Amino acid sequence: MAERRLAPDTPTLRERWSGFAFNPAWDAKAKAAVARYPAGRQRSAVMALLDYAQRQVGEETNTQGWLPIPVMEYVARYLDMPVIRVVEVATFYFMYNLVPVGKFHVQVCGTTPCMLRGSDDLFTACAKRGMEIGHTTDDGLWTLTEVECMGNCASAPMVQINDDNFEDLTAERLDAVLDALAAGKQPKAGTQEPGRHTVEPAGALSTLQAMATENHDYRGEW
């Protein structure tokens, strides 16, 4: 499952990250997030700021990013809140990485619908590339995590890689996605089933037929 322990707070970690601060671009986003809340409620922006901090760490390390303890301490100071409250948020939500990850964080769903539709084959495809659950490959390219349901049961099995979902996968289709990412390309996100638009039936539609090719707005027809 996803790693939820904090990385050890070592002198090396402190040396690298104790000077962390938002760069101008992320600071502007942080200030905008804080401004969404009434005076005295700035702590409500903690989830957004943790996400921004993780993404800046990712930019600096050419990875998907993670949250070292000194970075969480910076977010706590930014929002004038106890560090433990920030850590509680970061450790509760799986969107935050608590240990270093690779350039591509491959999160394979192993819950029942995906398992019944072949997620074991996806883990095998990952293993053939040297991926091991809970670890990052030696080249720093891939981190493999097994996760619980991410809500794409109608197009199982699915994998989330960084910010994109890839659905209706087979081992061969996942290989094609991973090959494209390794080559610096951006594969099509969403369903990988030819001719399928979202999660409409793989066969012919009996209702909402206009949704097969676009997100058609039916409200004017009702």
Side-chain angles (χ1 to χ4, degrees), residues 46-82:
V46 62
M47 290 189 67
L49 267 62
L50 284 172
D51 179 59
Y52 300 158
Q54 178 167 279
R55 291 177 186 276
Q56 181 172 321
V57 169
E59 291 174 354
E60 295 181 11
T61 59
N62 193 32
T63 69
Q64 179 62 7
W66 67 292
L67 292 171
I69 285 288
V71 173
M72 287 190 268
E73 291 173 343
Y74 170 77
V75 171
R77 292 193 300 271
Y78 200 104
L79 296 175
D80 189 25
M81 62 189 295

Side-chain angles (χ1 to χ4, degrees), residues 111-209:
T111 312
T112 304
C114 282
M115 182 270 291
L116 292 174
R117 293 276 292 168
S119 64
D120 286 350
D121 294 337
L122 306 185
F123 283 113
T124 299
C126 290
K128 289 179 179 178
R129 292 173 178 262
M131 297 187 214
E132 182 181 349
I133 295 175
H135 296 275
T136 300
T137 54
D138 292 340
D139 59 7
L141 198 60
W142 314 106
T143 297
L144 178 61
T145 301
E146 179 181 357
V147 296
E148 294 296 334
C149 181
M150 291 190 284
N152 291 92
C153 305
S155 49
M158 66 85 61
V159 172
Q160 180 177 331
I161 304 177
N162 294 358
D163 290 330
D164 290 319
N165 288 351
F166 299 91
E167 307 152 31
D168 287 314
L169 290 170
T170 62
E172 294 74 21
R173 289 173 180 176
L174 178 59
D175 275 332
V177 169
L178 298 177
D179 285 341
L181 291 171
K185 301 176 182 178
Q186 181 55 56
K188 169 187 172 292
T191 178
Q192 304 299 299
E193 180 69 26
R196 200 176 192 195
H197 176 54
T198 52
V199 290
E200 74 280 3
L205 286 174
S206 59
T207 60
L208 303 180
Q209 295 182 12

Side-chain angles (χ1 to χ4, degrees), residues 5-19 66-74 77 83 87 98-100:
R5 64 177 175 83
L6 294 172
D9 190 9
T10 63
T12 301
L13 189 78
R14 288 276 163 188
E15 182 179 2
R16 172 64 180 87
W17 294 110
S18 61
W66 67 292
L67 292 171
I69 285 288
V71 173
M72 287 190 268
E73 291 173 343
Y74 170 77
R77 292 193 300 271
V83 175
V87 174
L98 305 180
V99 295

